[in-house]
């Protein structure tokens, strides 16, 4: 298992990361090898592929991966790559197929990934179909959510989230159903700028007036070895904003939750780039998928327990409106950071004692890639 360190073991714990690691191509390549390919990435929920043949796709670090439910009811993950000439087999984000047929030469695979159809079979003497099934990808099912990883090296999601099992249990993740669709938002941002912002509590009273109206000073954070935890309690004082005030008023009771959680917003960020936003009314996942040294794709969708109450439907809509505003505010804020990181004038800034999530993340990154300790990048090609 890959090792990490705590901020207390890091002599640079009071200092942020240098600017060059937010745009350097060699550093991005080093991240690939050190942990990005080993990182667990969410694809969908098991309820999204409830029937045989239903599949969802994830594109990550140049790989295309599908998860599909087989005729035997089991869920498997495969590379979306035909074993004949390498063509991608399926397009789009999701679908359902009786047979997975490559659009290039019509080689076909069953729902268990086995090669079952080979046009011009006589052209391939000695071919063994059993040796040419779709290549599997490591799959983990955690409380109904389906994660894949391209190689080993990081803990499982179950291991990462073990300290918080009691927090998660009342939300009944296994019973969740999608209430929206997957959205993809390309951003001209290094993935760490997004990750940093997600764990940065100090910007909330400055950059998010709506969250400040909703939570006041109740926003709290903590850093564990692989997970950051954040939470805020909704205030009783009505917000001056109509959408926020309506959400406060209409959010119905959630009797499956303990009383202290019924007005709480709870967040978990798993290293390196997956998060769960957990509300009394719904659960969202968000991931920031690195696509280059200064580009990422934010991928997200909302899930909820079945609930036809009008108040609940209204609360979920208002939740969406509030969070769209928060996302728009964050987009502007972190674009400013990315632009500033391109300046030769910037040197690593100080981190306060309360910025424990950022301190933990930085210490872990320096542990994985010691070059992150350098104020300036090594000569080009150092990561080869």
């Amino acid at each position: 298992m890959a090792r990490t360190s705590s901020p207390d073991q890091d002599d640079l714990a009071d200092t942020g990361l240098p600017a060059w690691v937010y745009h350097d191509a060699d550093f991005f390549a080093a991240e690939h090898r050190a942990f990005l390919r080993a990182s667990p990435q969410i694809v969908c929920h098991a309820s999204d592929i409830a029937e045989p043949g239903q599949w969802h796709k994830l594109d990550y670090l140049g790989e295309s991966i599908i998860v599909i439910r087989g005729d035997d009811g089991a869920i498997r993950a495969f590379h979306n790559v035909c074993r004949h000439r390498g063509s991608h087999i399926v397009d789009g984000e999701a679908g359902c197929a009786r047979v997975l047929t490559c659009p290039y030469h019509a080689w076909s695979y069953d729902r268990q990934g086995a090669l079952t159809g080979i046009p011009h079979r006589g052209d391939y003497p000695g071919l063994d179909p059993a040796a040419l099934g779709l290549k599997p990808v490591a799959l983990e099912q955690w409380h109904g959510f389906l994660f894949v990883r391209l190689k080993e090296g990081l803990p499982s999601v179950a291991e990462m989230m073990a300290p918080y099992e009691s927090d998660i249990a009342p939300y009944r993740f296994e019973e969740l159903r999608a209430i929206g669709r997957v959205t993809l938002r390309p951003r001209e941002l290094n993935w760490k700028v997004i990750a940093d912002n997600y764990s940065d509590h100090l910007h909330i009273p400055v950059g998010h007036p709506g969250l400040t109206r909703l939570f006041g000073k109740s926003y709290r954070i903590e850093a564990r070895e692989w997970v950051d935890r954040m939470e805020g309690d909704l205030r009783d004082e009505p917000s001056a904003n109509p959408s926020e005030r309506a959400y406060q008023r209409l959010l119905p009771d959630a009797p499956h939750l303990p009383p202290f959680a019924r007005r709480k917003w709870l967040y978990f960020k798993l290293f390196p780039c997956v998060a769960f936003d957990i509300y009394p009314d719904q659960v969202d996942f968000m991931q920031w998928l690195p696509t280059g040294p200064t580009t990422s794709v934010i991928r997200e969708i909302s899930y909820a327990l079945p609930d036809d109450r009008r108040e609940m439907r209204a609360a979920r809509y208002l939740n969406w409106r509030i969070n769209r505003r928060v996302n728009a505010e964050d987009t502007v804020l972190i674009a400013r950071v990315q632009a500033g990181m391109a300046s030769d004038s910037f040197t690593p800034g100080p981190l306060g004692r309360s910025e424990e999530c950022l301190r933990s993340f930085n210490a872990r990154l320096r542990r994985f890639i010691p070059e992150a300790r350098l104020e300036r990048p090594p000569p080009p090609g150092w990561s080869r």
Side-chain angles (χ1 to χ4, degrees):
M1 182 182 299
R3 295 179 298 168
T4 186
S5 62
S6 72
D8 294 337
Q9 299 169 309
D10 182 8
D11 60 354
L12 295 177
D14 296 332
T15 306
L17 295 172
W20 67 273
V21 308
Y22 290 90
H23 55 74
D24 183 79
D26 282 319
F27 195 83
F28 184 59
E31 292 173 329
H32 270 238
R33 288 194 298 272
F35 56 81
L36 285 179
R37 288 181 63 83
S39 66
Q41 294 298 330
I42 194 166
V43 180
C44 63
H45 191 274
S47 63
D48 293 322
I49 52 173
E51 299 299 326
Q54 289 185 319
W55 56 265
H56 271 241
K57 179 172 71 70
L58 174 71
D59 295 327
Y60 181 58
L61 296 180
E63 300 286 353
S64 184
I65 303 162
I66 58 173
V67 295
I68 184 169
R69 190 178 291 273
D71 290 320
D72 57 359
I75 298 173
R76 300 172 178 86
F78 300 104
H79 287 278
N80 179 29
V81 176
C82 181
R83 298 297 305 278
H84 178 214
R85 295 291 300 282
S87 170
H88 283 183
I89 299 171
V90 300
D91 300 311
E93 295 299 312
C96 185
R98 185 177 299 277
V99 177
L100 297 171
T101 301
C102 177
Y104 196 13
H105 298 100
W107 281 39
S108 57
Y109 305 84
D110 67 20
R111 294 163 168 177
Q112 287 71 246
L115 177 62
T116 56
I118 308 168
H120 312 290
R121 178 68 176 82
D123 285 352
Y124 307 97
L127 182 147
D128 179 10
L132 290 173
L134 296 178
K135 287 194 173 181
V137 176
L139 174 71
E140 178 185 2
Q141 185 167 172
W142 176 78
H143 290 287
F145 285 99
L146 304 174
F147 289 80
V148 295
R149 66 177 72 222
L150 298 173
K151 72 173 188 178
E152 296 302 314
L154 290 185
S156 67
V157 176
E159 290 170 320
M160 288 184 179
M161 288 295 294
Y164 297 113
E165 278 297 312
S166 61
D167 286 355
I168 293 295
Y171 290 91
R172 293 160 42 189
F173 274 20
E174 294 86 350
E175 301 173 40
L176 295 173
R177 299 294 183 268
I179 59 171
R181 59 179 179 83
V182 171
T183 60
L184 301 173
R185 294 186 282 140
R187 292 288 184 262
E188 298 291 321
L189 301 165
N190 179 271
W191 70 272
K192 293 184 294 299
V193 174
I194 305 171
D196 287 350
N197 182 75
Y198 204 90
S199 296
D200 180 349
H201 67 300
L202 294 182
H203 84 281
I204 290 176
V206 181
H208 296 309
L211 293 185
T212 302
R213 288 189 294 266
L214 287 173
F215 297 133
K217 298 181 179 180
S218 73
Y219 200 82
R220 301 174 293 278
I221 65 170
E222 71 175 28
R224 292 288 184 101
E225 185 176 10
W226 298 102
V227 177
D228 294 344
R229 182 187 188 276
M230 297 143 276
E231 67 175 12
D233 298 312
L234 289 172
R235 302 172 66 193
D236 293 329
E237 180 181 350
S239 169
N241 176 274
S243 293
E244 297 159 7
R245 186 168 64 251
Y247 180 80
Q248 290 173 300
R249 177 174 58 85
L250 292 174
L251 180 64
D253 189 43
H256 63 285
L257 297 177
F260 67 83
R262 296 176 188 177
R263 307 284 288 182
K264 181 186 296 294
W265 283 19
L266 182 61
Y267 310 86
F268 294 99
K269 187 186 85 174
L270 286 66
F271 181 82
C273 46
V274 172
F276 284 98
D277 300 343
I278 304 173
Y279 313 107
D281 43 304
Q282 65 190 58
V283 175
D284 303 345
F285 81 69
M286 183 173 79
Q287 59 202 138
W288 36 100
L289 300 170
T291 55
T294 57
T295 58
S296 303
V297 171
I298 298 176
R299 182 175 183 265
E300 59 186 339
I301 186 175
S302 298
Y303 292 87
L305 295 174
D307 191 330
D308 290 331
R309 287 178 291 175
R310 293 178 61 186
E311 296 86 355
M312 184 61 82
R313 293 199 299 270
R316 289 169 178 167
Y317 171 74
L318 293 164
N319 183 313
W320 176 85
R321 289 195 61 172
I322 293 166
N323 277 304
R324 290 289 73 76
R325 169 52 53 189
V326 172
N327 289 340
E329 293 163 349
D330 275 333
T331 297
V332 174
L333 291 170
I334 58 182
R336 299 169 72 94
V337 174
Q338 185 70 54
M341 290 299 181
S343 171
D344 288 338
S345 71
F346 183 79
T347 55
L351 287 178
R353 290 292 175 183
S354 71
E355 297 178 271
E356 59 180 287
C357 294
L358 292 175
R359 295 162 72 92
S360 175
F361 179 85
N362 291 356
R364 187 178 299 111
L365 203 72
R366 291 175 181 129
R367 179 71 175 182
F368 276 118
I369 308 174
E371 287 80 3
R373 303 174 63 83
L374 303 175
E375 190 170 310
R376 300 292 177 185
W382 63 266
S383 68
R384 298 194 188 111

